[in-house]
Amino acid sequence: MRLPALPGEMMASNPQWRQPLAIWREYFRSWIASPDPQAVLNASILFDFRAGYGDSTLADELRLNLQRLTKESEFYLLHMARDSMSCRTPLSFFKNFIVEKDGAHQNNSTSRARDCNPS
């Protein structure tokens, strides 16, 4: 099964995201040091990572580095908090998640673009 491409080239097939640990550290450092809108978007998507298979040492090391960097940057945290506040959780009036009613993604909430538009 092949997933449809995401907007902004945010797929593992993009060579930009297939990098060694040192490059990922630099990506994270630069996004935190200069949290422009694209950096905040990248961070909000790519900071949610985990090892998918095998030895998790690299993911664990990157997570520790990320935690150290974010603790040292209140300016970055302000930008991430502001971005989070602009996203509406897809909840109905009765606090149930709003999901796709039909199609390939029936009963799933799949559209990050729809769910995280400013109110």
Side-chain angles (χ1 to χ4, degrees):
M1 179 174 142
R2 184 178 173 101
L3 296 174
L6 295 173
E9 304 278 332
M10 297 307 249
M11 301 290 286
S13 59
N14 182 339
Q16 181 179 3
W17 309 129
R18 296 191 317 255
Q19 299 295 328
L21 179 61
I23 300 294
W24 278 103
R25 281 187 184 149
E26 179 54 28
Y27 284 163
F28 286 10
R29 188 208 60 74
S30 67
W31 296 338
I32 290 169
S34 301
D36 61 58
Q38 185 62 51
V40 171
L41 177 63
N42 289 344
S44 69
I45 296 168
L46 295 166
F47 285 6
D48 181 23
F49 67 90
R50 61 195 55 85
Y53 180 79
D55 185 0
S56 66
T57 304
L58 293 175
D60 295 341
E61 190 175 331
L62 189 57
R63 174 75 55 212
L64 288 172
N65 185 61
L66 176 59
Q67 290 170 344
R68 182 185 57 76
L69 289 169
T70 55
K71 283 180 184 177
E72 297 170 358
S73 179
E74 290 182 16
F75 184 64
Y76 156 78
L77 293 174
L78 170 71
H79 282 272
M80 284 299 284
R82 185 175 291 147
D83 182 64
S84 295
M85 296 301 292
S86 71
C87 296
R88 287 189 5 228
T89 303
L91 294 177
S92 70
F93 180 76
F94 297 107
K95 305 297 183 201
N96 295 318
F97 283 104
I98 297 172
V99 297
E100 301 295 329
K101 295 192 183 326
D102 54 24
H105 302 289
Q106 185 175 0
N107 297 323
N108 291 302
S109 177
T110 59
S111 176
R112 180 166 167 53
R114 181 195 68 216
D115 299 343
C116 287
N117 283 330
S119 319

